[in-house]
C-alpha cells in the first residue's frame, strides 16, 4: 500500500504478470503488459496479449481470456471485486520487456516516467543500449536540444512506468475504429453464445398430428 492506503498498482500488475506469464507462454501467447487501475469502485485489469507472429485473432484472444480467468479465479489475488479485460495490442502496442523495445527501434514511442510529478517522454526510439533507451525527442525545452529543436535523451528501462508505441494517427479515426472493433467483438460473442444455445437444444420427436384419429381409423 502507498500513502493514504491506496494500493500500489504497479506492484499489483507485477504480481499478476508473474502469475500469468508462464502459463500464457506455455499456451503460445506473449503477455505484453498488464495495466491496473481503479474505476467504478472496482479494480480494473487490462491485459494485453499477442502471439509470436503477431496479428492475434479474436478466437485466440478468447482462448487467452479463458486461461487468464481460470488462473485469477484460483489465485484470487485481490480483495473485493475486479474486472478483467483481455485485449489485443492495438495501434498503441504496449512495450514492457527488452525484446519489445528492441523490436520497436526506429518507431515513435510514448513513455511514462514517474518522478516528481509523472512526466512523459515522446519521440523516436533510436537505439537500445543494454538496459537503456535512446530517444530522439522534439521537445525543444530539453537542455540538450540542438538547432533543429530535437535532442537525444537516455532513459533506463527499469524507470519506465508505462511504454507504448506512439504512431501518428487521427485521434477521431482511432476512436471510431476502436468503437467498431468493440462492436464486432460483442457481435462475435453474441453469435457464439447463440450457437451454443442452439446446439444444446434437442429436437422433440414429432408423431402424427392427430394421433387419436389415426388409431381410431384402424
Amino acid at each position: 500500500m502507498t500513502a493514504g492506503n491506496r494500493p500500489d498498482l504497479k506492484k499489483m500488475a507485477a504480481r499478476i504478470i508473474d502469475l500469468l506469464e508462464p502459463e500464457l507462454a506455455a499456451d503460445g501467447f506473449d503477455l505484453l503488459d498488464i495495466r491496473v487501475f481503479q474505476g467504478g469502485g472496482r479494480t480494473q485489469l487490462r491485459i494485453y496479449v499477442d502471439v509470436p507472429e503477431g496479428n492475434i485473432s479474436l478466437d485466440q484472444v478468447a482462448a487467452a481470456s479463458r486461461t487468464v480467468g481460470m488462473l485469477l479465479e484460483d489465485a484470487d489475488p485481490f480483495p473485493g471485486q475486479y474486472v478483467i479485460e483481455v485485449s489485443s495490442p492495438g495501434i498503441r502496442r504496449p512495450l514492457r520487456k527488452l525484446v519489445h523495445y528492441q523490436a520497436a527501434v526506429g518507431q515513435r514511442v510514448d513513455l511514462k516516467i514517474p518522478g516528481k510529478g509523472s512526466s512523459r517522454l515522446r519521440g523516436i526510439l533510436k537505439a537500445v543500449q543494454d538496459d537503456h533507451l535512446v530517444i530522439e525527442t522534439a521537445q525543444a525545452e530539453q537542455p540538450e536540444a540542438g538547432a533543429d529543436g530535437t535532442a537525444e535523451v537516455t532513459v533506463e528501462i527499469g524507470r519506465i512506468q508505462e511504454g507504448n508505441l506512439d504512431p501518428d494517427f487521427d485521434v477521431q479515426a482511432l476512436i471510431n475504429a476502436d468503437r467498431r472493433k468493440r462492436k464486432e467483438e460483442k457481435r462475435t460473442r453474441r453469435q457464439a453464445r447463440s450457437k451454443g444455445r442452439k446446439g444444446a437444444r434437442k429436437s422433440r420427436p414429432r408423431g402424427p398430428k392427430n394421433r387419436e384419429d389415426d388409431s381410431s381409423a384402424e
Side-chain angles (χ1 to χ4, degrees):
M1 294 286 182
T2 59
N5 292 324
R6 290 177 299 174
D8 188 326
L9 302 183
K10 185 68 174 177
K11 287 185 178 180
M12 292 170 70
R15 284 173 48 211
I16 302 303
I17 287 172
D18 289 342
L19 172 68
L20 299 182
E21 192 161 35
E23 297 294 337
L24 287 172
D27 287 347
F29 297 109
D30 183 11
L31 176 56
L32 300 179
D33 204 1
I34 294 179
R35 307 284 165 84
V36 183
F37 55 97
Q38 301 291 330
R42 294 180 294 184
T43 301
Q44 311 270 344
L45 299 179
R46 187 166 296 157
I47 301 167
Y48 294 95
V49 296
D50 203 357
V51 289
E53 61 273 19
N55 296 320
I56 189 170
S57 69
L58 288 177
D59 287 342
Q60 289 171 319
V61 171
S65 183
R66 288 192 293 271
T67 297
V68 167
M70 289 187 296
L71 290 170
L72 291 178
E73 184 177 358
D74 290 341
D76 194 20
F78 304 124
Q81 294 183 327
Y82 57 90
V83 178
I84 305 169
E85 178 187 346
V86 180
S87 174
S88 57
I91 191 170
R92 283 178 54 83
R93 185 182 184 88
L95 306 170
R96 175 174 58 90
K97 298 188 289 188
L98 179 64
V99 292
H100 297 162
Y101 287 105
Q102 289 172 332
V105 171
Q107 301 183 65
R108 287 181 54 84
V109 295
D110 180 5
L111 310 177
K112 289 184 180 180
I113 305 170
K116 293 182 179 179
S118 183
S119 63
R120 256 176 122 170
L121 180 62
R122 303 174 71 176
I124 305 294
L125 177 55
K126 301 295 289 185
V128 178
Q129 300 174 347
D130 297 325
D131 57 350
H132 288 74
L133 309 179
V134 180
I135 310 295
E136 181 183 82
T137 176
Q139 296 176 1
E141 66 271 15
Q142 292 286 345
E144 304 88 352
D148 60 356
T150 65
E152 286 193 353
V153 179
T154 301
V155 58
E156 184 181 354
I157 293 177
R159 290 186 55 216
I160 299 171
Q161 181 176 346
E162 289 183 6
N164 291 84
L165 290 182
D166 187 33
D168 292 320
F169 55 82
D170 182 324
V171 174
Q172 189 58 50
L174 181 62
I175 293 172
N176 292 338
D178 184 65
R179 287 174 178 169
R180 288 194 297 270
K181 176 185 173 184
R182 291 178 183 275
K183 286 181 179 179
E184 181 60 31
E185 289 176 347
K186 288 180 179 179
R187 187 180 302 113
T188 300
R189 289 195 293 267
R190 285 197 301 267
Q191 291 173 348
R193 287 196 296 267
S194 177
K195 289 179 181 179
R197 287 195 294 268
K198 289 179 180 179
R201 294 175 183 169
K202 295 183 179 179
S203 59
R204 296 179 179 177
R206 294 183 179 180
K209 291 184 178 179
N210 299 310
R211 287 179 177 270
E212 294 181 359
D213 293 344
D214 289 344
S215 60
S216 62
E218 294 176 358

